[in-house]
Amino acid sequence: MTLEKSYRAVRSLAVAVLTGIVVLAPSLVYADTLHATDDAYIDLSKPNSRQGKQSDVHVRVEMNRRHGRHDKDHDSDHRKSHGKDVGEAQGFVKFDFSALPEGAAISRATLRMWVNDVDTEGKFAVHVVKGDWSEKTISANNAPGVGDAIAEVMITDADDDHFVTIDVTDAVKDWLNDPGTNFGFAFFPLSADFSVDSKENDDTAHPMELEIVTS
């Protein structure tokens, strides 16, 4: 092979390699996991109560609860004799997006929560929060409003001590396009009574997370 032919062969190989890099680069994906900056729940029967430092975020309908957490092994007569009325509880969580690369293209966003107790199987709705709030001060009296439900999720006994995931891609895309509207999610009970780990939970220690896949 002549020197000229060798040069052409090397140049062709280099062009092919560079072309492959250009073609493959846009297909690379990256995943970022964001942890909750604020999480809390409000109890509608206790309008001034603040629950932002609790180890659990409760979501429940107003009901007469026949047994509470950790009572599962008690006999039925004991549970029936210790029923109590509890008010509706709504959960809140918020995330900081500043760690995401500027101009990131979101392909998927998934909210992940650890269910640590299921008292009553049922559904809850996920809403986008429409006003700012803090876990230190939020209560039923000052809780911000929410938008329409973006998802309805069924909770069953099988979810106890397991992760539940929710697709929230559209909401996250909206927040990245307009960062001033990122006030997090609210969880409103429809028929369910359950709790998930908060970031203050030192027992099972699974705070809510937002997994964001970008390309």
Side-chain angles (χ1 to χ4, degrees):
M1 179 182 291
T2 66
L3 182 60
E4 183 178 356
K5 288 182 178 180
S6 297
Y7 171 76
R8 288 177 179 173
V10 171
R11 185 177 64 179
S12 298
L13 178 61
V15 170
V17 170
L18 291 174
T19 301
I21 292 174
V22 171
V23 170
L24 291 175
S27 66
L28 296 177
V29 295
Y30 303 89
D32 290 280
T33 299
L34 307 183
H35 298 281
T37 59
D38 293 77
D39 52 24
Y41 73 91
I42 61 174
D43 186 332
L44 301 191
S45 67
K46 301 174 182 178
N48 295 312
S49 179
R50 299 173 183 176
Q51 309 292 343
K53 292 301 181 181
Q54 300 299 320
S55 60
D56 299 330
V57 173
H58 292 283
V59 182
R60 65 170 181 256
V61 293
E62 183 178 6
M63 64 187 304
N64 182 275
R65 179 181 283 170
R66 291 298 183 183
H67 64 286
R69 189 179 178 187
H70 307 312
D71 288 343
K72 296 177 182 178
D73 295 330
H74 292 187
D75 62 86
S76 59
D77 290 338
H78 174 85
R79 292 199 301 268
K80 290 179 181 179
S81 65
H82 287 77
K84 61 178 181 179
D85 293 328
V86 293
E88 179 177 325
Q90 301 168 355
F92 289 78
V93 65
K94 186 164 54 173
F95 299 90
D96 180 6
F97 285 6
S98 61
L100 293 178
E102 186 176 351
I106 304 298
S107 59
R108 185 175 70 254
T110 305
L111 177 64
R112 182 166 57 240
M113 57 178 66
W114 178 264
V115 178
N116 60 41
D117 188 58
V118 178
D119 270 297
T120 305
E121 295 183 324
K123 288 185 177 182
F124 72 99
V126 182
H127 298 259
V128 172
V129 181
K130 293 298 187 179
D132 203 7
W133 59 279
S134 166
E135 67 174 22
K136 296 179 181 180
T137 59
I138 190 171
S139 67
N141 262 347
N142 63 23
V146 302
D148 293 336
I150 62 172
E152 287 188 6
V153 184
M154 181 69 187
I155 293 291
T156 70
D157 288 336
D159 295 315
D160 201 353
D161 291 331
H162 287 83
F163 282 110
V164 168
T165 59
I166 306 164
D167 187 334
V168 291
T169 305
D170 290 341
V172 171
K173 286 182 177 179
D174 289 341
W175 287 337
L176 287 179
N177 290 332
D178 189 359
T181 62
N182 173 21
F183 303 118
F185 300 103
F187 313 119
F188 282 23
L190 300 177
S191 55
D193 182 352
F194 69 100
S195 60
V196 302
D197 279 13
S198 75
K199 60 186 179 62
E200 287 80 16
N201 191 307
D202 294 325
D203 184 12
T204 44
H206 294 305
M208 284 181 273
E209 297 175 334
L210 195 59
E211 185 177 84
I212 298 179
V213 178
T214 62
S215 58

